[in-house]
Amino acid sequence: MAIFLPIVPNWKNGIKDVYEFRTSIFTSRDGSEQRRSQRIQPRRNLTIAAILDGERMRHFADAINKARDGRVEISDFTGDPAFLEETVLAGGSLLRVDRTPSWLVSEASFTIVTGRSAVKVRADFVENNIVVLANPLEYSVGEGAKLLPLIPASIENSNTLSIYTTSVSTTSLKFSVEPGTVQRTPDPL
């Protein structure tokens, strides 16, 4: 079972999002170069640097221990976001967003990401830029927080964790996103 990994990137280092295509190159009868796809879905790999401190470090350690098989769910930080238009207090379950992306539908799970935390929630109902959550929020979330889709991924075998003090550390995590799970809508020409 995939475990939600509540990480927030250290935006100083950014996110490295790599798509890997596999093609064969051959010469057509008229002598021009042609390419043929060898893979239906491109492979996608993410490298995310995160700062872990206090509560974030505990949540991260708990999630890593639960995800022994390496299967996790993470926020799609390069996905199409929606933004909260007003603060929602703890116990609230009604979110007003600036727009409704195609992935934000009733019964869907997604994440709410602030500058310091990420929490997985589930929409009970979505209509006209209003999202009603299945369960009330445990913490208050401020205006401008991002709503992002979830993506299933696998943690790579080798990652780094640098511990600076007993309360602050950083990590650089590498993920392989499961093929075919991310659907992008092309921009109109």
Side-chain angles (χ1 to χ4, degrees):
M1 184 173 103
I3 302 297
F4 174 62
L5 193 58
I7 56 172
V8 176
N10 175 359
W11 292 107
K12 178 182 176 190
N13 299 336
I15 293 175
K16 185 176 178 184
D17 193 358
V18 177
Y19 286 86
E20 180 184 307
F21 298 88
R22 185 171 181 182
T23 59
S24 60
I25 302 171
F26 60 96
T27 305
S28 66
R29 288 185 224 183
D30 66 359
S32 63
E33 181 183 286
Q34 298 292 313
R35 294 177 183 259
R36 178 178 297 140
S37 175
Q38 298 282 314
R39 188 177 286 148
I40 294 172
Q41 297 287 335
R43 288 188 182 153
R44 182 179 181 200
N45 295 304
L46 292 169
T47 303
I48 300 172
I51 295 175
L52 304 171
D53 58 356
E55 194 69 23
R56 291 191 294 180
M57 190 182 301
R58 283 187 289 282
H59 288 302
F60 175 78
D62 288 346
I64 290 293
N65 286 328
K66 289 178 186 174
R68 292 196 177 135
D69 62 355
R71 294 182 54 219
V72 294
E73 288 181 316
I74 57 173
S75 302
D76 186 0
F77 296 104
T78 60
D80 189 17
F83 294 92
L84 283 182
E85 290 193 322
E86 57 188 40
T87 298
V88 180
L89 299 176
S93 60
L94 182 71
L95 310 178
R96 293 185 195 281
V97 294
D98 63 338
R99 57 191 212 78
T100 307
S102 60
W103 55 264
L104 187 55
V105 294
S106 298
E107 305 295 322
S109 293
F110 58 94
T111 59
I112 299 176
V113 180
T114 65
R116 298 193 41 83
S117 65
V119 62
K120 179 180 175 181
V121 294
R122 190 171 148 275
D124 188 35
F125 179 75
V126 178
E127 188 175 307
N128 296 331
N129 298 345
I130 301 291
V131 179
V132 178
L133 300 177
N135 298 310
L137 291 172
E138 292 181 27
Y139 307 102
S140 296
V141 179
E143 177 183 350
K146 274 188 189 179
L147 278 61
L148 292 170
L150 282 168
I151 51 175
S154 296
I155 299 175
E156 296 289 325
N157 292 334
S158 178
N159 289 289
T160 61
L161 177 68
S162 301
I163 299 174
Y164 298 108
T165 68
T166 57
S167 60
V168 177
S169 63
T170 61
T171 184
S172 180
L173 298 166
K174 296 177 185 171
F175 300 97
S176 296
V177 177
E178 292 183 16
T181 57
V182 178
Q183 300 298 322
R184 298 281 191 232
T185 305
D187 292 334
L189 298 175

